[in-house]
Amino acid sequence: MSLAVLKSRALAGMAAPEVSVEVHLANGLPSFTIVGLPDTEVKESRDRVRAALQNCGFEMPARRITANLAPADLPKESGRFDLPIALGILAASGQLPGDQLHHYEFAGELSLSGQLRPIRGALAMTFAMQRSPAGTPRAFILPQANADEAALVGDACIYPARSLLEVCAHFAAHASHTALQRHQPMLAAHVFPYPDFADVQGQQQARRALEVAAAGGHNVLMVGPPGAGKTMLASRFPGVLPPMSDEEALESAAVHSLGGHFKVEHWKRRPYRAPHQTASGVALVGGGNVPRPGEISLAHCGVLFLDEIAEFQRRVLDVLRQPMESGVINISRAARQAEFPARFQLIAAMNPCPCGYLGHASGRCRCTPDAVLRYHSRLSGPLLDRIDLQIEVAAMPPAALGRHAVAGENTQAIAKRVAAAFALQLARQGKANQRLSSTEIEQHCRLETHGEQLLYGAMARLHWSARTYHRVLRVARSIADLAGSPHITQPHVAEAIQYRRVLREV
C-alpha cells in the first residue's frame, strides 16, 4: 500500500476541526513535500520526522513522499502533525500495519530521537473529538505529558505514549503485549491556598461590596489612596466565589490548554489574572497571526484584576466593553477568525487623583481640579457604565490598626453565604444575576412600590442610562439573595444605589 490516511486535529480558536493526514509514496526522485496550507512549524516537520524515523531504527523511504493535510483551506500550525505524518510514512511503506489506524486520532511533536513532546490545545482537541458527529468517537493517542488534561473530557479514550516506538509497538501484531494502556484521569481534591479575608483589617463597606459582587457575578471598581488595601482585597476575592461547575471548569481548562500552560492541579480553581498596566490591547483580548487567547479569556469563569486601572491606555481599556457585555471575544484577522469565551469578573482599583491622596485626612493632595478631571477621564463613560459597583476604599486610621484592630470574618464564612445566595439564583433562573437579560430582569427583579419610587428618583437625579438601571436592579437582586429574601425591598434598592458612586468630582 502506497497511501495511508490518518486523523488529527487543527486549532481554530476554541474549535478543533478534524484534519485528514494523507501520506502518499510515489516513484521518482526522493523528496518530501507537505501540502495543505502548512505553517512554517508544520513545514519543518519534514526534518523532525526524517531524523525521528532513522533514530528509531526505521527506514526513510527513498521515494517521492507527499503529505497532504486536508482540508486544504484550513491553516495548519505547530508540531502536532509530526506523529501522524511519521505513522503515515511507516504505514504507506509497509513498515507498520495500517488496518487499525482509522480507529484513532493522533497528535504529537517529535524530537529528533523519536520522543514525543507535549503540545498545546490537547484538551480542546479531545473535547472536539468526543463530540464529533461522525459515528463512534475515536481513541486519541498523544504525548504522555498531555494525558492528564485530555482525560478531563468525560468518556474520552486516551492512550498516552512517550515515544514513536511505543506507538508503533501498539499497532504491531507481534508486540501486542506492549500495547499502550488507556489513561485514567487522576483528579485529587485540591485545597486552593487563597489568601484569607481575615487578614484584612477594617474596610467593612468594601468587604460587603465584594461579597455582593461574588454572590451575583458583578464587576467592581475600588477607588482609594495608596495603602488602603485595594490589592489585598482583590487578591482574596477568588476565595469567596461559588465553586466551579464541571462545565465551567472544562471551559476554563480548555482556554488555558490553548495557551499551553494548563496544570491539572488547578482543575476547578477560579482563574485570577492581574496584567500589568503596560499590557496592550492584544494582550488583553487576544490576537496574533495565529489567534491566541488574551487575559480576558484566560480569566474566563474567574477574576480579571486591573490594578491602577487609570494607568492603562484608554484605548486598551475600551476594548473590554464588548466582551464585558457578551461574554465572548471575536478576533478577526485577514486569513483567520477565532472566538474565545471571556465571561470574567472585572475587579479594578485606582487612586482618586494623580498623586493618590485626594480627600485624605492629611491634606497632602496638591492636584489641580483640571489634573484630577484628566485623570478620571482615562476611564470612559461607557466603560464605567458597565461596572456594577463603584466604591470608595478609605485609608485606615492608625487607631484601627495593630493590636487595636477588629478582626474581620474569614474567607470560609463569607464563601458560605455567597454559595447559599448563588444556589438561590440557580434554582430561580439557572444563572448568576449579572447575566440576566432585560426580559429576565422584568420577571425576577420586580420591585415593591417604595423601592421602585426610590430607584426612579435616583435615576432622575443622577441621569442614569437604561443600562445602569438594569445593573442596579441586578445588584439589588443579589443583595436580596444574600438576605434570603424572595422580594427586593426598599433597603435592598438603597444599598444597590449607594454602590453606584461615581468618581469624586472636584
Side-chain angles (χ1 to χ4, degrees):
M1 182 178 67
S2 60
L3 175 67
V5 180
L6 298 87
K7 300 296 183 180
S8 186
R9 297 272 165 180
L11 288 178
M14 287 293 290
E18 181 182 290
V19 173
S20 292
V21 180
E22 304 168 344
V23 179
H24 179 251
L25 305 185
N27 296 326
L29 292 175
S31 64
F32 190 173
T33 307
I34 299 177
V35 297
L37 210 58
D39 202 349
T40 302
E41 297 166 306
V42 182
K43 291 178 180 178
E44 292 173 347
S45 292
R46 294 174 299 186
D47 299 315
R48 291 193 297 269
V49 168
R50 180 183 290 109
L53 290 177
Q54 292 174 346
N55 288 321
C56 288
F58 294 105
E59 178 187 354
M60 184 67 183
R63 301 178 66 183
R64 185 182 182 89
I65 304 173
T66 303
N68 178 40
L69 309 179
D73 59 346
L74 178 68
K76 321 297 189 310
E77 49 83 26
S78 89
R80 70 174 57 87
F81 299 106
D82 289 3
L83 178 60
I85 290 175
L87 294 175
I89 292 174
L90 294 177
S93 61
Q95 300 179 71
L96 180 73
D99 55 330
Q100 296 296 318
L101 295 177
H102 63 281
H103 294 304
Y104 297 83
E105 292 191 9
F106 306 88
E109 178 183 335
L110 287 171
S111 69
L112 300 186
S113 64
Q115 299 299 305
L116 283 175
R117 291 193 170 123
I119 57 174
R120 66 177 185 88
L123 183 55
M125 296 168 70
T126 310
F127 190 81
M129 179 194 71
Q130 195 64 10
R131 282 151 183 77
S132 176
T136 305
R138 305 181 185 95
F140 197 9
I141 294 180
L142 77 175
Q144 178 77 47
N146 296 115
D148 286 336
E149 65 174 285
L152 295 176
V153 179
D155 299 329
C157 186
I158 305 299
Y159 289 95
R162 290 183 292 269
S163 67
L164 174 63
L165 283 174
E166 286 190 2
V167 179
C168 294
H170 180 73
F171 292 102
H174 64 277
S176 59
H177 60 282
T178 61
L180 300 175
Q181 300 298 313
R182 181 173 178 176
H183 186 76
Q184 299 297 330
M186 299 178 63
L187 296 178
H190 298 288
V191 178
F192 306 124
Y194 293 116
D196 200 325
F197 261 100
D199 300 334
V200 180
Q201 298 178 355
Q203 303 297 1
Q204 295 304 317
Q205 183 191 27
R207 293 164 64 101
R208 168 65 178 176
L210 290 178
E211 181 177 339
V212 173
H218 306 290
N219 303 316
V220 182
L221 172 64
M222 297 182 287
V223 183
K230 304 184 294 294
T231 303
M232 192 176 187
L233 288 163
S235 64
R236 283 150 178 78
F237 182 74
V240 300
L241 292 176
M244 295 183 79
S245 65
D246 290 341
E247 181 180 357
E248 287 179 328
L250 194 57
E251 289 179 357
S252 176
V255 174
H256 283 262
S257 175
L258 291 176
H261 43 72
F262 171 73
K263 297 180 179 179
V264 177
E265 56 267 26
H266 290 171
W267 174 249
K268 287 198 171 183
R269 179 176 185 173
R270 295 279 183 184
Y272 178 80
R273 307 292 298 185
H276 192 260
Q277 300 95 314
T278 56
S280 65
V282 172
L284 280 183
V285 302
N289 292 330
V290 179
R292 299 282 186 93
E295 292 291 339
I296 63 174
S297 295
L298 295 174
H300 179 62
C301 297
V303 177
L304 177 68
F305 177 50
L306 300 184
D307 196 10
E308 304 294 348
I309 187 174
E311 301 301 330
F312 285 79
Q313 297 182 34
R314 178 167 174 167
R315 63 178 180 81
V316 171
L317 293 177
D318 282 343
V319 302
L320 299 176
R321 287 155 52 179
Q322 182 266 333
M324 286 175 68
E325 287 288 327
S326 64
V328 297
I329 179 68
N330 294 283
I331 300 172
S332 297
R333 297 293 181 263
R336 304 189 185 190
Q337 292 78 40
E339 180 179 287
F340 298 105
R343 193 173 64 251
F344 58 92
Q345 274 188 262
L346 175 64
I347 306 296
M350 66 177 290
N351 294 329
C353 66
C355 78
Y357 292 98
L358 178 65
H360 195 274
S362 65
R364 60 195 293 185
C365 178
R366 296 294 182 268
C367 299
T368 65
D370 286 344
V372 175
L373 289 175
R374 283 195 302 270
Y375 186 73
H376 290 178
S377 66
R378 297 181 185 180
L379 274 67
S380 66
L383 178 63
L384 283 173
D385 210 27
R386 289 167 167 81
I387 300 179
D388 306 322
L389 292 85
Q390 302 169 18
I391 60 174
E392 293 186 11
V393 182
M396 293 295 295
L401 302 174
R403 61 188 180 90
H404 301 290
V406 178
E409 284 186 299
N410 60 24
T411 294
Q412 186 177 4
I414 301 173
K416 185 176 180 180
R417 292 196 299 270
V418 168
F422 186 67
L424 291 176
Q425 298 168 37
L426 291 181
R428 182 178 60 243
Q429 68 228 10
K431 64 178 73 172
N433 289 330
Q434 198 273 339
R435 298 172 59 193
L436 291 174
S437 65
S438 300
T439 304
E440 292 169 330
I441 289 175
E442 294 296 327
Q443 179 181 356
H444 301 297
C445 301
R446 294 179 180 176
L447 300 178
E448 296 180 344
T449 302
H450 296 297
E452 190 174 52
Q453 292 174 349
L454 177 62
L455 182 55
Y456 288 162
M459 284 192 67
R461 289 193 304 273
L462 300 175
H463 308 289
W464 283 345
S465 66
R467 179 189 289 117
T468 303
Y469 168 74
H470 286 145
R471 288 188 177 276
V472 171
L473 282 177
R474 295 187 185 106
V475 173
R477 179 69 268 176
S478 297
I479 295 171
D481 289 337
L482 281 171
S485 172
H487 305 291
I488 302 176
T489 62
Q490 186 180 21
H492 301 147
V493 176
E495 184 178 354
I497 291 174
Q498 66 129 355
Y499 290 139
R500 289 297 303 190
R501 292 183 180 180
V502 296
L503 297 179
R504 184 187 298 274
E505 297 181 357
V506 180

